[in-house]
Amino acid sequence: MRTHAAYDCDVMVIGGGTLGLATARALERAAPGVRVTVLERAAAGAVDRPGPDDGVIACGVRHRPGSFEARTAVRGAAELADFCAEHGIRHTMAGELIVATDRGELPRLHALAQRGRQHRLPVRELGPAQIAEYEPWVRGLAGIRVGGAGTADAGAVRAALAADAVAAGAVVRYGCEVVAVDRRPWGVAVRTADGAVVRARALVNCAGPHADRVARLTGDRPGIRLVRFREPRFSVGRPELVRGQVHTVPPAGLPGPLGFPAGLRLTRGTDGALHVGAGAPLVPASGTAAPAEHPGAWRTAVRHLRHRTAGTLRPWSDEAFTAALRRLLPDLGEDDLRPSGVAVHTRAMLPDGGLTDGFLVREAPHTVHVLNAPTPVAAVALPLGREVARRALASARGTGWRPPAVESGHCV
C-alpha cells in the first residue's frame, strides 16, 4: 500500500468549471484535511466556452416530478441564491414566465403548471392581462409564472467557489490539460500536456464537454458520446422590453436536450443586457466529434428535421425567427435584434441516437465520472457537487485513507 507521501493529493478533480469547483468545495467541507487538486485545461480566469445559459438559475420545472434531476434542480436553485447572497454576488430571483402564443400550446402550458406544483414550486396561471403585470411588453394567449428561477453572475459564482475551495486547502491548477491517465490498484496518476504527473487516491471527472474523452483515457467505456450543437444567439437593442426570464412553451414531441429549453428564451442578465436564444439546430460545433460520427446520430437528425419542416424550431431563417419573436414582443423594431454569436449545447448521445438531459454519474475503480448534467449547471452545482464528493471520498477510503475529521450533514 502506498504511503500518504507517495500521493500528490487524495482526490483529483479534472475540470475547473462550476461543477468541478463545487465538488472541490464540497470535498473540503465534508472531510476537512482532505488534499484536493483541481486540474483545469483553460487559463486562469478563462472559461473553455461559456454555456448557452451561463448564469441562468433554472427552477427545474421541466424535469420529471420525483426525479433526482427535479429534486436537485429545485434544491440547487434555492442554495445558489443563498450562496450568491452570502458572497455578495449579483443575482435576481424574479421567477420565470412561460408564455403560450398559439392555442395548440395551451395543453402543454397547463401540463407545465401541474408539473411545477408537483415540484412544490410557486406557480400562478395567467391570462393576457396578468402576463402584462409581470412583463408589460410581452403578449400571449396565456402564461404561467414559476417562482424559484433567476439569474446570477456566473463568473463571480465560479470565482467564489474557487476561493472557498482554496481557502479550505484545495489547490486549483489552471492551464493543465490531461492527456493520459494511468489507473493502478493503489489509485490513479495523470499526465498533463506540459509533462507533469499528478498522483491521487481517487479521480473525479468533471471535464464537461470533454468528460467522455477523459473517461476513455481511464480505460472506461462511457457508453455515450458527448456531442455539441450550435445555437444562434441574439441580443436586443432595447433590453427594457423584458424584465426577467421569458420562455415560450416547448414544442410538442421535441427531444428536450436539443435546447434548454426548446423554444424561444429571453433572459435579462445581471449586466442588464437582454439575450435571445432558441432550440439548438443539429449542427456540429468545432472541438468535439460531429454527431454523424456517432452510431444512431442519423436517426436523431431525421427526428430533428421533422420538427424543422413543421416549423416548430425557430432559427432556421431570420424571417421565421423574427416573426416568432414578434408574436411574443410585438413592439420589437426591425433594428432591435442583433446577432451575438453562437452558443454551444453539449448533450450525451446514446448508441441508438437518443439524447439524454438527465444526470449520468458513473463509478469505476478509484474514479467517479460525471458524464452529463442538465444545463444550466449552476442551478444544480451545489447539491450535485456534494453527491459527487460523497462518492469520491468513498472511493478514496477504499485505498486505506482516512480523513482527520468528518463533518456530518454536508454530504447527501
Side-chain angles (χ1 to χ4, degrees), residues 56-411:
V56 171
I57 304 175
C59 60
V61 69
R62 290 166 184 80
H63 294 302
R64 180 174 54 82
S67 65
F68 180 68
E69 289 84 356
R71 295 195 306 273
T72 306
V74 173
R75 179 195 300 180
E79 288 187 17
L80 184 60
D82 291 341
F83 179 86
C84 289
E86 177 186 347
H87 290 78
I89 297 171
R90 288 184 302 170
H91 70 290
T92 64
M93 295 299 291
E96 173 184 348
L97 185 64
I98 305 175
V99 179
T101 58
D102 182 271
R103 287 195 173 278
E105 298 171 344
L106 295 177
R108 299 197 299 278
L109 181 69
H110 179 69
L112 282 174
Q114 294 298 105
R115 178 166 288 192
R117 293 188 180 101
Q118 288 177 292
H119 294 335
R120 298 185 179 179
L121 292 167
V123 177
R124 182 187 178 194
E125 297 191 61
L126 311 171
Q130 294 165 314
I131 289 174
E133 293 178 16
Y134 293 97
E135 295 288 352
W137 300 97
V138 172
R139 299 291 179 268
L141 298 178
I144 60 172
R145 194 266 184 184
V146 186
T151 57
D153 183 334
V157 169
R158 283 188 285 270
L161 288 170
D164 279 3
V166 170
V171 175
V172 182
R173 296 171 56 178
Y174 293 95
C176 293
E177 181 179 1
V178 172
V179 296
V181 179
D182 184 15
R183 189 163 55 194
R184 300 292 181 89
W186 49 261
V188 292
V190 307
R191 187 174 75 250
T192 61
D194 61 2
V197 175
V198 184
R199 299 171 181 84
R201 296 177 183 273
L203 180 150
V204 175
N205 173 10
C206 285
H210 307 282
D212 57 341
R213 178 183 66 85
V214 171
R216 288 192 293 273
L217 288 177
T218 68
D220 293 327
R221 292 177 174 269
I224 54 96
R225 189 69 173 266
L226 293 176
V227 293
R228 294 183 176 187
F229 302 107
R230 295 186 298 170
E231 176 195 40
R233 299 287 280 180
F234 301 86
S235 62
V236 177
R238 297 168 61 198
E240 68 275 8
L241 291 177
V242 171
R243 293 175 173 175
Q245 291 187 55
V246 178
H247 299 162
T248 56
V249 179
L254 181 66
L258 293 180
F260 184 86
L264 292 173
R265 308 188 311 286
L266 297 91
T267 303
R268 185 82 174 267
T270 55
D271 59 357
L274 177 57
H275 305 281
V276 183
L282 188 60
V283 180
S286 60
T288 58
E293 295 176 10
H294 189 59
W298 286 113
R299 287 190 288 275
T300 299
V302 169
R303 290 198 299 270
H304 189 81
L305 285 171
R306 289 197 189 107
H307 289 282
R308 172 180 176 176
T309 56
T312 55
L313 282 181
R314 308 302 192 210
W316 299 105
S317 72
D318 291 342
E319 295 80 7
F321 180 74
T322 303
L325 189 54
R326 280 184 177 156
R327 283 198 295 272
L328 197 65
L329 286 175
D331 292 292
L332 189 73
E334 290 185 5
D335 299 325
D336 287 335
L337 197 62
R338 305 164 184 172
S340 61
V342 174
V344 176
H345 297 263
T346 303
R347 290 294 178 265
M349 181 175 285
L350 304 172
D352 65 357
L355 297 170
T356 176
D357 200 28
F359 292 116
L360 286 180
V361 181
R362 294 178 179 167
E363 297 178 65
H366 312 304
T367 309
V368 180
H369 298 291
V370 182
L371 297 172
N372 196 60
T375 57
V377 72
V380 300
L382 293 174
L384 181 57
R386 287 197 303 274
E387 170 63 17
V388 175
R390 181 186 67 79
R391 299 188 189 196
L393 289 172
S395 181
R397 290 187 183 98
T399 67
W401 171 79
R402 294 293 182 272
V406 177
E407 283 187 40
S408 63
H410 285 302
C411 283

